[in-house]
Amino acid sequence: MAANSHRPRAEHLGPERRRPQILDAALDIAVSEGVSAVTVASVAERLRVTRPVIYACFANRVDMIAELVQREEGRLRESMTTVLRRRAVDADATVFIDGFRALLNTVAEQPKTWRLVYGSPDSEVAEFFGRGRADAVARCTDLLRPTLAAWGMPEADIDKKLYPLVELWVSASEGAVRSLLADSRWAPDELAEFLGESVYHALRTAV
């Protein structure tokens, strides 16, 4: 007799209500075991439903993973739009602290999404992580150029130094996310103050 023959019948939900549940289960599996472990069978087992319930929402594993990646990418883009909204040009340490605070509180609110990005070696994840990082670099470049000018850096120096300074800022942000996920001793606001001050002084002394 099949192993799932005694499984209770799942509550009947339409695809629009069931799909988020499936994606949440797929995210749990991806974070804990890797994207390669996300299959129709593993998600059905996690939700305690039969495979046809999954197939009623997704044609196959590839479609399910693609929608999961798209959903989490959308969440990250929304977060980064909030974090990197336009700020004062003549920025002081408070501006950078506020930016790190917004970022790290987003991480605290959606840790699974960020763990998927920073903890997975899977190519499906690496591709959208690369797109998100490129977008963050572009936004930081747009923000930092006028700030360096307001701080008094000559235009020729801005053209030369802007990219490495943006990389410093973005890399520090990535390190902040990893630190918060890896070390429970840090609270988001505490880590934001520490790194915001550090990044500000590193950028300010480059002028």
Side-chain angles (χ1 to χ4, degrees), residues 30-52:
V31 169
S32 61
E33 303 175 44
V35 173
S36 60
V38 178
T39 64
V40 171
S42 66
V43 172
E45 182 67 27
R46 180 66 62 100
L47 291 175
R48 299 183 61 81
V49 300
T50 60
R51 295 185 195 184

Side-chain angles (χ1 to χ4, degrees), residues 113-169:
T113 297
W114 291 90
R115 287 187 188 282
L116 179 66
V117 172
Y118 285 94
S120 174
D122 296 276
S123 59
E124 297 99 325
V125 175
E127 180 180 351
F128 90 81
F129 170 66
R131 293 198 301 268
R133 191 182 196 280
D135 187 51
V137 167
R139 289 173 180 270
C140 287
T141 299
D142 289 342
L143 291 172
L144 191 56
R145 178 180 284 278
T147 296
L148 294 175
W151 286 345
M153 180 179 283
E155 188 65 29
D157 284 349
I158 293 176
D159 288 338
K160 180 179 180 179
K161 296 178 179 178
L162 180 61
Y163 182 75
L165 291 176
V166 167
E167 277 293 326
L168 183 153
W169 186 9

Side-chain angles (χ1 to χ4, degrees), residues 96 100 168-169 172-173 194-204:
F96 288 89
F100 275 97
L168 183 153
W169 186 9
S173 299
F194 170 58
L195 288 177
E197 287 273 5
S198 299
V199 170
Y200 166 73
H201 287 295
L203 296 176
R204 195 68 180 85

Side-chain angles (χ1 to χ4, degrees), residues 60-119:
N60 50 49
R61 170 184 183 270
V62 173
D63 286 353
M64 180 171 61
I65 291 175
E67 186 161 327
L68 172 65
V69 169
Q70 289 172 6
R71 186 184 75 167
E72 301 313 308
E73 181 179 19
R75 287 176 172 176
L76 292 184
R77 285 184 179 277
E78 183 179 345
S79 298
M80 294 309 295
T81 297
T82 300
V83 170
L84 294 174
R85 65 184 183 274
R86 188 152 302 277
R87 300 173 185 276
V89 170
D90 191 9
D92 59 13
T94 302
V95 172
F96 288 89
I97 292 170
D98 287 346
F100 275 97
R101 182 178 293 117
L103 171 64
L104 293 175
N105 277 286
T106 297
V107 175
E109 291 165 5
Q110 299 181 6
K112 291 179 183 177
T113 297
W114 291 90
R115 287 187 188 282
L116 179 66
V117 172
Y118 285 94

